Amino acid sequence: MPRTKRPAPYDVFIEHFNDACLLLRLAEMLQNEGQGKARAEVREELDSVFQLSQEDRETLDVAASRWAWIVVKGDSPVKPHHLQHATEILTRNAIIVAATAVEVWLEEFACRQVGNILKKAESTPEIRQRLRKVNTDLGEILDIERSYERRVWGYRKILEDYIRSRASTNPGKFTEVLQLVDLWPGSWKAIGDELQRCFGSPSDPSSTATEKWQALLAQWRQDGLHIEYLFEGRATASSTSYDLSKPDEALADLCKWRNWIVHGDYPREPLPSLERVRDLLNIIVLIITNLEKFGIGR
């Protein structure tokens, strides 16, 4: 039976990140911008479609958002004012899903380099020095000697397990994992410089993206991906409140907000606005796309 080919790390990232963008889009759709009793003409229109009872017609509530009219029956336990809470729930989950997408990408992207890095370590002192960070114990070494004909496969497992334990949206750990497998472009400044070259500065709306980026954005549109929503109505791909030259700040925010939500610090800490979260996801997808797709520093 043929082996199923594992999807590429970037494809998995896009799939999960697209879910995060859909959650954020739904949060914006449910953002309540006004509510009240349905007007008589609205009730009549609904009645012609759904054959409403007299009681239902008179008790309909309506909430309006940027993209939708939401009609709620009078006996519903969920009222229009609950939509704001739904918006917050969707926003929180968008942040968690986006952070998970980055962590899974980092794990898979780095783990695919483990075989090459172990080979290079034989002749490269700098790589051997970095691998000294990977702690193991005598029991694991004895297990490898007993269980593997080729010990390198046991070493691979140890290194992969270490990478999975360190993969994080924390900028320091993110850097450490890519350094470990010799894929770090040198500095966050190098990433920021490349992002600015590709996507322009928020202060320079005349800047244009590279042809590669335009082609990628067109592909997302063609595939109907919700990631494209992050860039709607913006002069450049990076027209956001984040400084494109400091991408580690966006990654740090993603890590911080995820931890607030997962570890219970929210709502003591304020949830960022939908626009701020949209700005954040915008920069995050640019960072991962450049590292994976366009090969910064390689």
Side-chain angles (χ1 to χ4, degrees), residues 16 19 22 24 28 36-37 41 50 53 64 77 82 92 109 140 155 159 169 172 177 179 214 222 229 257 261 271:
H16 290 302
D19 290 344
L22 175 57
L24 195 64
E28 187 169 347
K37 293 296 181 185
E41 58 269 27
F50 297 109
S53 68
H82 291 135
R92 293 200 300 268
F109 185 61
E140 283 184 298
Y155 301 147
L159 185 50
T169 52
V177 168
Q179 284 177 334
Q214 292 288 8
Q222 181 179 327
Y229 148 73
W257 293 343
I261 296 163
L271 190 68

Side-chain angles (χ1 to χ4, degrees), residues 1-151:
M1 185 174 179
R3 294 175 60 183
T4 303
K5 185 179 179 181
R6 292 177 63 186
Y10 187 73
D11 293 339
V12 176
F13 167 76
I14 288 297
E15 181 180 350
H16 290 302
F17 204 80
N18 188 59
D19 290 344
C21 294
L22 175 57
L23 287 168
L24 195 64
R25 204 166 203 172
L26 289 171
E28 187 169 347
M29 187 183 77
L30 293 179
Q31 194 170 34
N32 193 348
E33 297 178 354
Q35 63 187 61
K37 293 296 181 185
R39 297 194 305 271
E41 58 269 27
V42 174
R43 292 199 299 268
E44 290 173 6
E45 188 68 29
L46 289 169
D47 185 31
S48 67
V49 176
F50 297 109
Q51 307 289 300
L52 300 175
S53 68
Q54 179 69 27
E55 182 181 357
D56 283 340
R57 282 200 303 273
E58 293 177 353
T59 59
L60 292 179
D61 289 322
V62 177
S65 72
R66 175 187 171 191
W67 289 324
W69 291 93
I70 300 167
V71 180
V72 181
K73 293 175 66 175
D75 60 353
S76 169
V78 177
K79 303 298 182 184
H81 65 267
H82 291 135
L83 294 178
Q84 183 57 40
H85 186 50
T87 295
E88 293 174 2
I89 293 170
L90 289 165
T91 303
R92 293 200 300 268
N93 278 279
I95 291 169
I96 293 171
V97 172
T100 301
V102 173
E103 291 170 355
V104 170
W105 170 83
L106 183 59
E107 287 180 18
E108 297 302 319
F109 185 61
C111 282
R112 289 194 175 206
Q113 311 303 320
V114 164
N116 291 335
I117 211 65
L118 288 174
K119 287 179 182 178
K120 290 169 70 175
E122 297 174 5
S123 58
T124 311
E126 294 84 359
I127 293 177
R128 290 200 300 275
Q129 183 63 35
R130 287 201 292 270
L131 292 177
R132 292 181 188 277
K133 293 181 179 180
V134 182
N135 296 320
T136 186
D137 56 46
L138 181 59
E140 283 184 298
I141 298 298
L142 293 174
D143 286 343
I144 289 171
E145 291 182 347
R146 187 182 70 253
S147 305
Y148 292 90
E149 286 187 22
R150 298 179 63 193
R151 293 178 187 174

